[in-house]
């Protein structure tokens, strides 16, 4: 193995480790936030919102989190959980670009566009 091949292999190993860390940190962070929201709901005995309602927009979620409303905190945790694989796709684009694999860069960009479009459709369709 030449020095250049070894360097490229080491870079790819490092990128794979970063992807693993992104997934692990995202899942653990979202789980902790969700648990905090659920524990707060159990302690207070309320959700912070009238019956049958919950925050659905980023603004209402962040306002609710600032006011320590249990449902808003739980929704933030769910948002972070959904964001985790999206971040993994972004890091994968970088990894494929570093590798010089243009086909996989384009495939992964298409996957990212589909993910963002689906989230946008879900957001405006409430």
């Amino acid at each position: 193995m030449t020095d250049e091949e070894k360097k490229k292999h080491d870079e790819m190993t490092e990128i794979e480790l970063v992807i693993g860390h992104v997934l692990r940190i995202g899942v653990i962070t979202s789980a902790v936030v969700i648990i905090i929201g659920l524990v707060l709901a159990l302690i207070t005995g309320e959700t912070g919102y009238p019956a049958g309602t919950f925050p659905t927009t980023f603004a209402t979620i962040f306002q609710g989190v600032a006011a320590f409303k249990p449902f808003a905190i739980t929704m933030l945790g769910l948002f972070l959980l959904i964001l985790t694989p999206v971040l993994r796709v972004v890091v994968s684009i970088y990894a494929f670009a570093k590798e010089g694999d243009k086909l996989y860069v384009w495939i992964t960009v298409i996957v990212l566009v589909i993910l963002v479009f689906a989230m946008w459709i879900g957001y405006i369709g409430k």
Side-chain angles (χ1 to χ4, degrees), residues 1 5-21 95 98-99:
M1 187 180 279
E5 289 173 338
K6 183 174 178 0
K7 183 180 177 186
K8 192 170 189 175
H9 179 268
D10 290 345
E11 285 177 358
M12 291 314 300
T13 301
E14 187 175 324
I15 291 170
E16 289 171 8
L17 289 172
V18 168
I19 290 171
H21 289 307
K98 274 296 254 193
E99 222 175 66

mmCIF file of all heavy atoms in Angstrom, residues 1 5-21 95 98-99:
data_model
loop_
_atom_site.group_PDB
_atom_site.id
_atom_site.type_symbol
_atom_site.label_atom_id
_atom_site.label_comp_id
_atom_site.label_asym_id
_atom_site.label_seq_id
_atom_site.Cartn_x
_atom_site.Cartn_y
_atom_site.Cartn_z
ATOM 1 N N MET A 1 0.847 -1.177 0.000
ATOM 2 C CA MET A 1 0.000 0.000 0.000
ATOM 3 C C MET A 1 0.892 1.239 0.000
ATOM 4 O O MET A 1 1.765 1.385 0.851
ATOM 5 C CB MET A 1 -0.915 -0.040 1.235
ATOM 6 C CG MET A 1 -1.953 1.044 1.269
ATOM 7 S SD MET A 1 -3.020 0.998 2.729
ATOM 8 C CE MET A 1 -4.193 -0.236 2.276
ATOM 9 N N GLU A 5 -2.403 5.822 -0.690
ATOM 10 C CA GLU A 5 -3.504 4.889 -0.420
ATOM 11 C C GLU A 5 -3.738 4.757 1.072
ATOM 12 O O GLU A 5 -4.868 4.685 1.536
ATOM 13 C CB GLU A 5 -3.202 3.520 -1.033
ATOM 14 C CG GLU A 5 -3.282 3.492 -2.539
ATOM 15 C CD GLU A 5 -2.818 2.168 -3.101
ATOM 16 O OE1 GLU A 5 -2.051 1.433 -2.408
ATOM 17 O OE2 GLU A 5 -3.185 1.865 -4.253
ATOM 18 N N LYS A 6 -2.642 4.704 1.849
ATOM 19 C CA LYS A 6 -2.765 4.595 3.309
ATOM 20 C C LYS A 6 -3.430 5.838 3.884
ATOM 21 O O LYS A 6 -4.297 5.748 4.748
ATOM 22 C CB LYS A 6 -1.388 4.390 3.940
ATOM 23 C CG LYS A 6 -1.454 4.190 5.448
ATOM 24 C CD LYS A 6 -0.108 3.846 5.998
ATOM 25 C CE LYS A 6 -0.032 3.673 7.485
ATOM 26 N NZ LYS A 6 -1.173 3.823 8.283
ATOM 27 N N LYS A 7 -3.038 7.011 3.364
ATOM 28 C CA LYS A 7 -3.637 8.265 3.836
ATOM 29 C C LYS A 7 -5.127 8.298 3.535
ATOM 30 O O LYS A 7 -5.938 8.678 4.379
ATOM 31 C CB LYS A 7 -2.932 9.465 3.191
ATOM 32 C CG LYS A 7 -3.442 10.796 3.671
ATOM 33 C CD LYS A 7 -2.708 11.940 3.010
ATOM 34 C CE LYS A 7 -3.308 13.259 3.466
ATOM 35 N NZ LYS A 7 -2.732 14.388 2.757
ATOM 36 N N LYS A 8 -5.505 7.878 2.323
ATOM 37 C CA LYS A 8 -6.917 7.855 1.930
ATOM 38 C C LYS A 8 -7.689 6.862 2.797
ATOM 39 O O LYS A 8 -8.804 7.144 3.234
ATOM 40 C CB LYS A 8 -7.040 7.496 0.451
ATOM 41 C CG LYS A 8 -8.412 7.717 -0.106
ATOM 42 C CD LYS A 8 -8.405 7.590 -1.613
ATOM 43 C CE LYS A 8 -9.734 8.039 -2.157
ATOM 44 N NZ LYS A 8 -9.759 8.061 -3.604
ATOM 45 N N HIS A 9 -7.085 5.699 3.071
ATOM 46 C CA HIS A 9 -7.724 4.694 3.918
ATOM 47 C C HIS A 9 -7.927 5.240 5.333
ATOM 48 O O HIS A 9 -8.988 5.051 5.937
ATOM 49 C CB HIS A 9 -6.874 3.425 3.958
ATOM 50 C CG HIS A 9 -7.440 2.356 4.823
ATOM 51 N ND1 HIS A 9 -7.095 2.226 6.146
ATOM 52 C CD2 HIS A 9 -8.361 1.383 4.561
ATOM 53 C CE1 HIS A 9 -7.764 1.211 6.674
ATOM 54 N NE2 HIS A 9 -8.536 0.681 5.731
ATOM 55 N N ASP A 10 -6.921 5.930 5.854
ATOM 56 C CA ASP A 10 -7.025 6.515 7.197
ATOM 57 C C ASP A 10 -8.113 7.592 7.251
ATOM 58 O O ASP A 10 -8.860 7.674 8.226
ATOM 59 C CB ASP A 10 -5.685 7.113 7.633
ATOM 60 C CG ASP A 10 -4.627 6.042 7.904
ATOM 61 O OD1 ASP A 10 -4.999 4.857 8.041
ATOM 62 O OD2 ASP A 10 -3.432 6.398 7.971
ATOM 63 N N GLU A 11 -8.202 8.408 6.181
ATOM 64 C CA GLU A 11 -9.250 9.439 6.121
ATOM 65 C C GLU A 11 -10.632 8.801 6.108
ATOM 66 O O GLU A 11 -11.546 9.269 6.784
ATOM 67 C CB GLU A 11 -9.076 10.317 4.881
ATOM 68 C CG GLU A 11 -7.950 11.308 4.969
ATOM 69 C CD GLU A 11 -7.777 12.108 3.681
ATOM 70 O OE1 GLU A 11 -8.517 11.858 2.701
ATOM 71 O OE2 GLU A 11 -6.909 12.993 3.659
ATOM 72 N N MET A 12 -10.797 7.730 5.343
ATOM 73 C CA MET A 12 -12.094 7.067 5.262
ATOM 74 C C MET A 12 -12.462 6.424 6.601
ATOM 75 O O MET A 12 -13.615 6.474 7.019
ATOM 76 C CB MET A 12 -12.107 6.016 4.150
ATOM 77 C CG MET A 12 -12.040 6.616 2.753
ATOM 78 S SD MET A 12 -13.174 8.011 2.478
ATOM 79 C CE MET A 12 -14.737 7.252 2.783
ATOM 80 N N THR A 13 -11.478 5.852 7.269
ATOM 81 C CA THR A 13 -11.729 5.279 8.589
ATOM 82 C C THR A 13 -12.173 6.369 9.554
ATOM 83 O O THR A 13 -13.116 6.182 10.332
ATOM 84 C CB THR A 13 -10.453 4.583 9.122
ATOM 85 O OG1 THR A 13 -10.070 3.564 8.193
ATOM 86 C CG2 THR A 13 -10.700 3.975 10.482
ATOM 87 N N GLU A 14 -11.522 7.529 9.474
ATOM 88 C CA GLU A 14 -11.889 8.654 10.340
ATOM 89 C C GLU A 14 -13.308 9.138 10.034
ATOM 90 O O GLU A 14 -14.090 9.427 10.944
ATOM 91 C CB GLU A 14 -10.892 9.794 10.168
ATOM 92 C CG GLU A 14 -11.087 10.926 11.150
ATOM 93 C CD GLU A 14 -10.001 11.978 11.032
ATOM 94 O OE1 GLU A 14 -8.844 11.622 10.775
ATOM 95 O OE2 GLU A 14 -10.325 13.157 11.223
ATOM 96 N N ILE A 15 -13.668 9.213 8.749
ATOM 97 C CA ILE A 15 -15.014 9.648 8.359
ATOM 98 C C ILE A 15 -16.058 8.648 8.850
ATOM 99 O O ILE A 15 -17.118 9.034 9.346
ATOM 100 C CB ILE A 15 -15.099 9.850 6.832
ATOM 101 C CG1 ILE A 15 -14.269 11.069 6.432
ATOM 102 C CG2 ILE A 15 -16.551 10.018 6.379
ATOM 103 C CD1 ILE A 15 -14.076 11.233 4.944
ATOM 104 N N GLU A 16 -15.762 7.349 8.744
ATOM 105 C CA GLU A 16 -16.686 6.330 9.242
ATOM 106 C C GLU A 16 -16.881 6.470 10.750
ATOM 107 O O GLU A 16 -17.989 6.297 11.263
ATOM 108 C CB GLU A 16 -16.176 4.937 8.888
ATOM 109 C CG GLU A 16 -16.288 4.627 7.410
ATOM 110 C CD GLU A 16 -15.592 3.335 7.018
ATOM 111 O OE1 GLU A 16 -15.137 2.590 7.911
ATOM 112 O OE2 GLU A 16 -15.505 3.084 5.804
ATOM 113 N N LEU A 17 -15.813 6.798 11.462
ATOM 114 C CA LEU A 17 -15.926 7.029 12.906
ATOM 115 C C LEU A 17 -16.800 8.251 13.196
ATOM 116 O O LEU A 17 -17.610 8.243 14.129
ATOM 117 C CB LEU A 17 -14.545 7.196 13.536
ATOM 118 C CG LEU A 17 -13.690 5.932 13.632
ATOM 119 C CD1 LEU A 17 -12.282 6.277 14.097
ATOM 120 C CD2 LEU A 17 -14.340 4.921 14.563
ATOM 121 N N VAL A 18 -16.635 9.310 12.398
ATOM 122 C CA VAL A 18 -17.455 10.513 12.565
ATOM 123 C C VAL A 18 -18.931 10.169 12.333
ATOM 124 O O VAL A 18 -19.805 10.599 13.097
ATOM 125 C CB VAL A 18 -16.987 11.640 11.616
ATOM 126 C CG1 VAL A 18 -17.998 12.764 11.563
ATOM 127 C CG2 VAL A 18 -15.631 12.156 12.041
ATOM 128 N N ILE A 19 -19.217 9.389 11.295
ATOM 129 C CA ILE A 19 -20.600 8.982 11.025
ATOM 130 C C ILE A 19 -21.160 8.210 12.209
ATOM 131 O O ILE A 19 -22.286 8.444 12.648
ATOM 132 C CB ILE A 19 -20.678 8.157 9.725
ATOM 133 C CG1 ILE A 19 -20.420 9.051 8.509
ATOM 134 C CG2 ILE A 19 -22.034 7.471 9.591
ATOM 135 C CD1 ILE A 19 -20.273 8.307 7.199
ATOM 136 N N GLY A 20 -20.369 7.301 12.750
ATOM 137 C CA GLY A 20 -20.806 6.541 13.926
ATOM 138 C C GLY A 20 -21.080 7.445 15.115
ATOM 139 O O GLY A 20 -22.077 7.268 15.824
ATOM 140 N N HIS A 21 -20.213 8.427 15.322
ATOM 141 C CA HIS A 21 -20.403 9.371 16.431
ATOM 142 C C HIS A 21 -21.660 10.216 16.225
ATOM 143 O O HIS A 21 -22.403 10.472 17.178
ATOM 144 C CB HIS A 21 -19.183 10.282 16.602
ATOM 145 C CG HIS A 21 -17.982 9.596 17.151
ATOM 146 N ND1 HIS A 21 -17.992 8.849 18.308
ATOM 147 C CD2 HIS A 21 -16.705 9.543 16.697
ATOM 148 C CE1 HIS A 21 -16.801 8.371 18.542
ATOM 149 N NE2 HIS A 21 -15.994 8.769 17.570
ATOM 150 N N ALA A 95 -18.271 12.125 2.817
ATOM 151 C CA ALA A 95 -17.409 10.939 2.747
ATOM 152 C C ALA A 95 -17.247 10.459 1.311
ATOM 153 O O ALA A 95 -16.125 10.156 0.870
ATOM 154 C CB ALA A 95 -17.992 9.826 3.613
ATOM 155 N N LYS A 98 -14.990 12.857 -0.585
ATOM 156 C CA LYS A 98 -13.579 12.649 -0.226
ATOM 157 C C LYS A 98 -13.017 11.424 -0.928
ATOM 158 O O LYS A 98 -11.864 11.391 -1.322
ATOM 159 C CB LYS A 98 -13.437 12.447 1.286
ATOM 160 C CG LYS A 98 -13.313 13.694 2.105
ATOM 161 C CD LYS A 98 -12.075 14.443 1.775
ATOM 162 C CE LYS A 98 -11.054 14.306 2.865
ATOM 163 N NZ LYS A 98 -9.979 15.275 2.698
ATOM 164 N N GLU A 99 -13.886 10.410 -1.075
ATOM 165 C CA GLU A 99 -13.496 9.167 -1.720
ATOM 166 C C GLU A 99 -13.364 9.346 -3.232
ATOM 167 O O GLU A 99 -12.739 8.538 -3.908
ATOM 168 C CB GLU A 99 -14.576 8.118 -1.425
ATOM 169 C CG GLU A 99 -14.064 6.756 -1.098
ATOM 170 C CD GLU A 99 -15.202 5.839 -0.705
ATOM 171 O OE1 GLU A 99 -16.059 5.529 -1.545
ATOM 172 O OE2 GLU A 99 -15.236 5.441 0.463
#
